[in-house]
Structures are given as structure tokens and as C-alpha cells.
Amino acid sequence: MSAPESTMDKGAVVAGYDGSEEARKAVRWAAGEAAARGRGLVVAQVVGFPPVPEAVPGGAWPRPGFLVAGQETAQRRAEAMLGDIAQECRRAWPDLAVSTRLLSGRAPDALAGAAENAELLVVGSSGLTALPRLLVGSTADELLHEYHRPIVVVRAGDEPPADDDRKVVVGVDGSETSREAIGFAYDFADRHGCALVALHVWSDLPLEAMAVTPTEHDREIIEERGKPLIDESLAGFRERYPDVRVHRVIAVDRPAHALAEQAEGAALLVVGSHGRGPLRRALLGSVSRAMVHHAPCPVAVVRRHKG
């Protein structure tokens, strides 16, 4: 097992693991990203064995020592699982520094604490069985709200695109949080040789208007107003990442639908955790959650740095 919590985790890529196929896919994604960034990989697993009466036949409270034995068994199993996935990553990325951490407590708190000094936290979108799926889904949702660094959510069904058709999609709304997301997307695209799709969804319309097909004149007005916003949002990044090919897309649609459509076949979708103003924060917050659970590719959720 790895050393206690220390500066060894600073700047690392931390991946949550529970033995499920989705978590395994997330760890391998994290390992590839850690190798590309020149960072270490920390694989963390949260072990808990709560005193639930239903866990004992007949619904009686567990006998003395039952919980201790169960906890020890769960820890041994987790250690073996962590060892296996760590070895798998070392074989695939021989130069990658891989360490493991066995954690206890509430999963969101434990993972956020383990990744406090990390460069990136990566988790799967669901777990082993129906109940773990619910719990891990809740964990991901809590982390989206509370974790202050970028988090990537990966699903087992996410398949990488062909090398000649790689793209990164980022949502653009003109907010400071959107600027953070754009910077993350540019950096990822540059590192992995991807094109960047900067998507602005025109949402300054009444929600009921989304059901009406806009006229050609409407589209011209929307594009006229949207292009300067995208250009202003990308300012500075184009000079910093001159090799990244950028495609600007302006859509009149529900934000979640437009993002999911553009993200088809993407290597990564990047969204901010909130947008401009209280209403937009609520809308885009719900969009980021929708993308985490339904996007056709891994999703990075980026929050605005504080201080």
C-alpha cells in the first residue's frame, strides 16, 4: 500500500475505484491522462461496512465482532483489488508512477480529501450493482458541487474515437467559469492532438421558443451576436495553443441536447459548473449533471478558481 497522505499526492491524478467495470475504465482513463501530463497516478478506494441490521439474517443487530471481521474482510478484498488495478496500469504505462490509497468514511468526503492537492480527480459514473450505482451516482453528484478542482466522469460504454477524428467539445457562455473550462479544453486538446469544438448555445430566448424552428433571419441575428462572444471567450488561448484547430458552433437548442449532439465521438466534453447569474447557474448546473450521466463521451466539469 502507499504511504500516508502527504505531498506525494500533490499535482497527481487521483482516480476513484470500486472494482466495477466503469471504475476500471475510469482508472485506465486517468492513467493515460496522468502519463500524458507527466504526473503520478493515485488510485483510491473507499471501504465502508456500516452497521445495518438488515445485513444479518432475521434483521437482528450483528453479534460482537461481526462488524470488525466484516471490515477486515472488506479491507483485504479492497487491497487486493487495488493491487490488481495498479499492476494493470503499470503494465500498460511502464513509466507511470502508480500508488494506491485505502480510504474510509463517506465516499464524497474521502475522495475529495484524497484529491485535495491533486491536479485532477477521475471517477466512474456508476458502480457494481443497483445499490452501489445509486450510491456512486450520488457521490459523483456531490463531488460536482463540492470538489473545487476539475473532475472527469467516465462510463464503461465510452469508447475512444479514431486518432484521425479526435475532438474536444467545450461549452461557451461568456462567463468566467466558461473561461476556465475553455482553458482546460485547450490544454487537453493540445496535449492529445485533438481539434477543439467551441459550442455556444443561444439560450437568451424563452424556453417555449425552443420548440419553434428559428427562421433564417433569426439564425443570422443569433450568429451575428454569438460569434463575438465566442471570439472574446477564446481570446488569448489561440495564441497560447496555436496548433489546436478550432471549430466554432452556434446552436439554437436545449443546452444539454446541443452539447450531447456535438460530443458524439468526442474524446472529451468540457463544461463549467455554472454560468452567468442565479438562473443560469441553476440551468447550467443541471446541464453539467445531465452531461455527466448521459453524454456519449467522458465529461470534465470545471469550476472557477477562487482567490
Side-chain angles (χ1 to χ4, degrees):
M1 294 299 295
S2 66
E5 189 171 340
S6 69
T7 55
M8 66 167 234
D9 293 348
K10 188 172 184 179
V13 174
V14 174
Y17 188 60
D18 67 358
S20 68
E21 181 58 29
E22 295 204 358
R24 176 179 173 274
K25 188 76 174 277
V27 171
R28 288 186 61 86
W29 192 97
E33 185 61 16
R37 290 172 178 252
R39 301 290 187 175
L41 172 69
V42 178
V43 186
Q45 183 161 351
V46 182
V47 176
F49 196 77
V52 180
E54 288 77 13
V56 178
W61 285 98
R63 298 185 303 276
F66 178 84
L67 293 178
V68 173
Q71 182 73 17
E72 291 175 351
T73 299
Q75 288 179 348
R76 287 195 298 271
R77 182 169 180 271
E79 287 173 354
M81 290 164 55
L82 283 171
D84 289 344
I85 193 64
Q87 282 300 105
E88 182 178 335
C89 291
R90 292 185 184 109
R91 286 193 297 269
W93 293 272
D95 297 328
L96 179 64
V98 182
S99 58
T100 60
R101 294 271 297 280
L102 191 60
L103 310 173
S104 61
R106 291 185 67 254
D109 298 336
L111 287 173
E116 175 66 27
N117 298 312
E119 187 164 306
L120 184 65
L121 173 61
V122 182
V123 296
S125 65
S126 67
L128 287 164
T129 63
L131 179 58
R133 271 201 297 273
L134 174 63
L135 294 176
V136 175
S138 173
T139 295
D141 283 339
E142 286 194 47
L143 285 168
L144 292 180
H145 284 289
E146 303 299 331
Y147 185 62
H148 61 284
R149 293 179 182 273
I151 178 171
V152 173
V153 181
V154 181
R155 288 193 309 275
D158 295 335
E159 294 296 336
D163 289 341
D164 59 351
D165 193 31
R166 291 169 62 85
K167 65 178 179 179
V168 176
V169 178
V170 61
V172 178
D173 73 353
S175 68
E176 285 300 317
T177 303
S178 176
R179 286 274 297 179
E180 296 279 357
I182 291 167
F184 186 96
Y186 255 108
D187 184 64
F188 186 94
D190 185 63
R191 187 183 306 110
H192 293 277
C194 300
L196 179 67
V197 176
L199 172 65
H200 173 59
V201 182
W202 186 262
S203 55
D204 289 344
L205 294 173
L207 293 179
E208 60 270 16
M210 293 298 182
V212 180
T213 302
T215 67
E216 190 63 32
H217 179 66
D218 291 333
R219 291 188 181 278
E220 290 176 0
I221 293 175
I222 289 168
E223 290 191 8
E224 181 180 342
R225 294 179 181 178
K227 284 179 180 177
L229 185 146
I230 292 181
D231 288 340
E232 182 179 344
S233 297
L234 300 183
F237 294 112
R238 290 172 296 182
E239 292 74 21
R240 197 182 312 169
Y241 302 99
D243 295 330
V244 176
R245 294 174 290 117
V246 179
H247 305 286
R248 296 162 180 77
V249 178
I250 299 171
V252 182
D253 199 348
R254 298 182 304 279
H257 182 267
L259 285 165
E261 189 174 66
Q262 287 295 325
E264 194 69 44
L268 185 69
L269 169 64
V270 186
V271 294
S273 62
H274 62 74
R276 300 168 293 176
L279 176 59
R280 287 177 183 272
R281 278 199 295 273
L283 289 174
L284 194 47
S286 111
V287 168
S288 63
R289 289 194 297 274
M291 291 300 92
V292 160
H293 293 290
H294 301 293
C297 68
V299 179
V301 179
V302 181
R303 297 184 67 179
R304 183 182 179 185
H305 292 309
K306 297 180 180 179

